[in-house]
Amino acid sequence: MQIDILTLFPEMFSALDSSILGRAQKQNKVQIRAINLRDYTEDKHLKCDDYPFGGGAGMVMMAQPIGSAIEALDPDHKARRIYLSPKGQTFRQQKVFELLEYDHLILLCGHYEGVDQRAIDLFIDEEISIGDYVLTGGELPAMVVCDCVCRYVEGVISTSSLVQESFSDNLLEYPQYTRPVEYRGLTVPEVLRSGNHAEIDKWRRQQSERITRENRPDLLAVQEKEDGQR
Ligand code: 4G1
């Protein structure tokens, strides 16, 4: 999986050099590149943004550096070209599996008031939003998409961790405990120390259902909808 991220702030993506994604990159299982849009500007002062036509606050990212970068990185349009944007469909786990069908993703990060609409019309396949709140840029959303996709790439994390998830899809996780057995008067539930794996599985399933019902009843509704589609 190759992921090219187009941004005015490539330094932000050093966060992906740590932990699991850092290891996956070193092992060459994923190639994540943060590409500076400034490297593609044809403006002699390296300008990549300008004032909005029609007036209003802030700046708009110019179409030219975006178009030139995308054409250079993906001349045959084999990549899925995604703009992280509040106007996109909300990112869900199902989308992760769709994106895994591509070998190459290009993620465009907006800044300021966003990008010239012509860059979207000409060069973008799809807009994705990570949720409904105001951000300073699309960089954190791009990192979210990277993280979600890369963990499913062969060899990035153990398959047993992934299998565990798919069993309980659309359910939240059961509570976890580690040593010691007692901490500040709270003890680990007896069943988890019983060694009875049928009882442990049953307890965990019940806890997952209870937590999902209490905290995220909307997830159960999503599950019923997806079941209906199968
Ligand atoms: C109007 C949120 C504007 C934000 C309404 C989720 C948010 C990219 C995302 C904004 C962004 C709402 C995202 C807003 C995002 C241009 C630069 C757009 C940053 C920008 C609800 C600012 N998922 N936001 N505008 O946040 O890029 O992907």
Side-chain angles (χ1 to χ4, degrees), residues 23-34:
R23 185 184 64 197
Q25 290 194 77
K26 284 192 198 89
Q27 296 175 338
N28 216 27
K29 289 176 173 140
V30 298
Q31 293 82 40
I32 305 172
R33 297 190 297 182

Side-chain angles (χ1 to χ4, degrees), residues 3 8 16 36 38 47 58 70 72 79 90 92 99 116 122-123 132 137 158 163 171-172 190 209 212 223:
I3 305 182
L8 293 174
L16 304 182
N36 196 338
R38 238 171 262 292
K47 209 161 58 100
I70 291 177
T90 307
R92 298 186 156 285
L99 297 183
D116 187 310
L122 288 168
F123 300 107
D132 297 334
S158 75
V163 167
L171 282 185
L172 297 174
E190 190 63 47
E209 286 172 0
T212 309
Q223 186 55 53

Side-chain angles (χ1 to χ4, degrees), residues 83-86 110-114 128-138 141:
Y83 176 40
L84 284 309
S85 155
H111 232 89
Y112 319 116
E113 304 308 311
I128 294 177
S129 167
I130 64 159
D132 297 334
Y133 27 72
V134 180
L135 293 173
T136 58

Side-chain angles (χ1 to χ4, degrees), residues 38-51:
R38 238 171 262 292
D39 294 346
Y40 291 89
T41 179
E42 287 165 8
D43 178 86
K44 63 176 185 292
H45 301 110
L46 306 187
K47 209 161 58 100
C48 287
D49 55 63
D50 210 332
Y51 299 95

Side-chain angles (χ1 to χ4, degrees), residues 4 62 89:
D4 291 327
M62 293 157 58
Q89 292 281 302

